[in-house]
Amino acid sequence: MNATDLYSIYLRHPQVTTDSRSLPATAPQDGSDCGIFLALKGASFDGNKFAAMALERGCSYAIIDEKEYMVEGDDRYILVDDALLAFKQLAREHRRHFNIPIIGITGTNGKTTTKELLSAVLAKRYHVMHTEGNFNNDVGVPKTLLRLKAGDEIAVVEMGASHPGDIQQLVEYVEPTQGLITNVGRAHLQGFGSFEGVMRTKGELYDWLKAHNAEVFVNEANPHLTKMMEDRQMSRVLSYGQSDEANRYQVTGRVVACNPYVKLQWEYVPEGATGSLQYEVETQLVGTYNADNLLAAIAVGIHNGVAPELINEALADYRPTNDRSELERTADNLLIVDAYNANPSSMAAALDNFSRVTVAEPKMAILGDMRELGEASDEEHQRVVDTLEKLHLTDVWLVGDEFAKTHTTFRKFHNIDEVKAAIAQDKPRGKCILVKGSNGIKLFELPKLL
């Protein structure tokens, strides 16, 4: 069955579930439709085994890729060569029914925050569909595209990558009309093999945009992105970046305060004008590294016709969630929580910002391992320790087996449970505490204890 035929079925049953556990225990008595069940496979599960159950619980069709699970004479089973591939093709077919701007985002750090900032800015003028949470992989992106519906005027789709070719595959289904790479850094080195591998993979978005004469937003203050753009001889470029030079880029900005929230001054030259317009916005973001994310949102907003005053409203009202650059005041401490993820570049940015933050409380850092660094792990974790010592941060707790290998006198913990025990015995009080580490270290469990 080709994508067009599959899409005609989808139009009659416009709901796709990939998890039978989300279905009702029994088929709805009112005869309502639970849509289509798609049998995905993973390292420890095979959705084909649950196809019959999904049909019993109210799904009209089950897309499977293992013939042994077919039931003779039951045309509710749709057998395909690869269920995941069929899912992507279905999503692309749906996406092609929407002649609207689709903004594709990737990058090592800041993808989700930038996606949320862009969406908040664009929502001041348009009805926006955007990626929810971090649904940015080869399953999450098709789910996102299938959320497009009548009335959507613009979409923001986040794309993640951990191996070469990931972005090339995703972009074939997203088919963005505009795009940006937030940055490139040393993350997922175990999968990419090297920093050059990261650049090549993230650059697959630029390759698509150039091949399809689409618009690209580039932080030209970032030398890696500038080189990637110049190597590809990109033509439809809209530039932004941090600079003290007025109008060095089409959108220029600079951080004027971070105590602890970021205050940003920015300016641009309207089309046909001879001088720039200047603005200032007080955000609810901590971390000077968020300035690039803010400027990306401003550049995209300006290009898509959102008034500067409305852009500032959106940026001022945005509050980060999901343990990303969150500022939290507890009864005992002031916390900067950035515990969703960590890699060498984001850790370096967080520590640099932490050293610049102006607060009354003495500073403390609780840092967790950075995962998926492969052979570079020992070197990168030692580099973090060395940075801490150069910044003269003395009250530091390091959590995880990778930090355990480092040479330092900082206090070390094997896991989150040991940290919890230490807090229970001698809770830090009256401090400004940075909490950052890879999600798997579970530092997100600490704020309620601090």
Side-chain angles (χ1 to χ4, degrees):
M1 180 175 290
N2 61 35
T4 303
D5 293 336
L6 191 58
Y7 190 63
S8 68
I9 293 174
Y10 171 78
L11 290 177
R12 299 195 302 272
H13 309 277
Q15 180 180 342
V16 177
T17 180
T18 59
D19 188 345
S20 61
R21 294 171 297 182
S22 66
L23 297 170
T26 58
Q29 295 300 307
D30 61 3
S32 59
D33 185 9
C34 292
I36 302 169
F37 174 72
L38 187 91
L40 296 180
K41 289 183 287 192
S44 59
F45 67 91
D46 184 351
N48 289 278
K49 297 178 180 179
F50 304 98
M53 178 193 299
L55 293 172
E56 291 171 3
R57 293 185 175 185
C59 285
S60 296
Y61 289 90
I63 300 174
I64 61 174
D65 54 15
E66 296 288 348
K67 191 173 182 179
E68 65 182 282
Y69 294 98
M70 289 283 290
V71 175
E72 190 70 28
D74 191 338
D75 60 7
R76 296 177 299 168
Y77 289 88
I78 300 173
L79 181 64
V80 298
D81 292 333
D82 184 323
L84 178 57
L85 179 59
F87 190 30
K88 293 175 180 178
Q89 291 172 340
L90 173 64
R92 177 169 58 191
E93 188 70 20
H94 184 63
R95 179 260 178 273
R96 287 178 174 175
H97 282 72
F98 292 84
N99 185 26
I100 62 174
I102 306 280
I103 303 168
I105 298 179
T106 191
T108 301
N109 304 310
K111 291 186 298 295
T112 299
T113 299
T114 301
K115 173 258 300 181
E116 292 180 353
L117 289 168
L118 258 66
S119 302
V121 165
L122 293 170
K124 291 293 184 178
R125 177 171 179 176
Y126 303 97
H127 191 281
V128 183
M129 191 286 292
H130 63 83
T131 301
E132 293 182 339
N134 65 333
F135 277 31
N136 61 16
N137 61 10
D138 57 356
V139 175
V141 168
K143 286 183 177 180
T144 297
L145 293 175
L146 287 173
R147 287 180 41 240
L148 281 166
K149 62 184 183 301
D152 288 333
E153 299 173 303
I154 197 166
V156 183
V157 180
E158 179 183 338
M159 295 174 286
S162 55
H163 297 88
D166 283 353
I167 298 301
Q168 181 180 350
Q169 291 183 27
L170 292 174
V171 80
E172 291 288 340
Y173 301 98
V174 175
E175 297 184 343
T177 62
Q178 303 174 26
L180 69 89
I181 302 173
T182 57
N183 49 55
V184 287
R186 296 174 64 80
H188 299 294
L189 296 180
Q190 193 168 0
F192 288 121
S194 65
F195 176 63
E196 289 70 28
V198 177
M199 291 181 66
R200 281 194 300 272
T201 302
K202 302 299 184 183
E204 290 162 3
L205 175 59
Y206 283 175
D207 294 335
W208 167 274
L209 296 170
K210 177 178 171 60
H212 294 82
N213 195 33
E215 297 155 328
V216 57
F217 300 91
V218 178
N219 179 1
E220 289 200 37
N222 183 310
H224 300 304
L225 297 180
T226 301
K227 183 178 188 307
M228 291 163 64
M229 175 193 67
E230 291 174 347
D231 286 348
R232 290 166 173 79
Q233 298 182 332
M234 306 288 290
S235 57
R236 300 192 68 188
V237 175
L238 298 106
S239 65
Y240 66 91
Q242 294 186 64
S243 176
D244 289 327
E245 300 176 30
N247 312 130
R248 180 178 178 185
Y249 313 114
Q250 286 159 297
V251 173
T252 299
R254 63 202 65 80
V255 175
V256 293
C258 186
N259 52 355
Y261 290 126
V262 172
K263 180 185 287 187
L264 184 77
Q265 284 183 353
W266 62 277
E267 58 191 274
Y268 83 109
V269 179
E271 188 174 348
T274 56
S276 65
L277 297 179
Q278 300 181 354
Y279 301 89
E280 185 171 285
V281 59
E282 178 87 51
T283 75
Q284 299 180 67
L285 287 163
V286 294
T288 52
Y289 47 84
N290 276 304
D292 288 339
N293 304 333
L294 291 161
L295 289 170
I298 293 167
V300 171
I302 290 292
H303 177 69
N304 287 283
V306 183
E309 294 78 10
L310 294 179
I311 291 175
N312 268 8
E313 278 185 21
L315 300 181
D317 291 343
Y318 172 75
R319 291 181 62 87
T321 58
N322 298 326
D323 302 316
R324 289 180 171 91
S325 301
E326 290 188 67
L327 186 72
E328 181 177 341
R329 172 75 69 177
T330 69
D332 298 294
N333 298 290
L334 179 65
L335 309 180
I336 297 176
V337 184
D338 194 3
Y340 182 80
N341 210 347
N343 55 59
S345 53
S346 70
M347 187 71 82
L351 291 176
D352 177 69
N353 173 74
F354 194 48
S355 70
R356 298 168 185 262
V357 168
T358 304
V359 290
E361 297 89 346
K363 294 178 181 179
M364 175 183 181
I366 303 178
L367 307 181
D369 280 354
M370 302 173 290
R371 297 283 182 88
E372 300 181 43
L373 294 181
E375 295 179 356
S377 186
D378 289 356
E379 176 186 353
E380 295 296 349
H381 283 85
Q382 186 62 49
R383 181 174 286 126
V384 172
V385 168
D386 295 343
T387 298
L388 288 164
E389 292 174 348
K390 290 177 183 176
L391 295 175
H392 305 294
L393 287 170
T394 57
D395 196 354
V396 177
W397 292 5
L398 303 174
V399 188
D401 294 336
E402 297 304 308
F403 271 127
K405 302 174 188 176
T406 59
H407 304 289
T408 182
T409 57
F410 294 139
R411 191 172 180 181
K412 297 177 180 178
F413 302 82
H414 287 293
N415 52 51
I416 191 69
D417 291 329
E418 290 187 3
V419 179
K420 290 178 180 178
I423 292 173
Q425 184 176 4
D426 186 17
K427 181 178 181 177
R429 286 184 168 85
K431 298 181 180 293
C432 177
I433 306 175
L434 171 65
V435 181
K436 183 169 180 63
S438 285
N439 198 47
I441 304 299
K442 300 182 178 180
L443 297 189
F444 56 80
E445 296 181 6
L446 295 183
K448 61 186 178 183
L449 305 177
L450 293 168

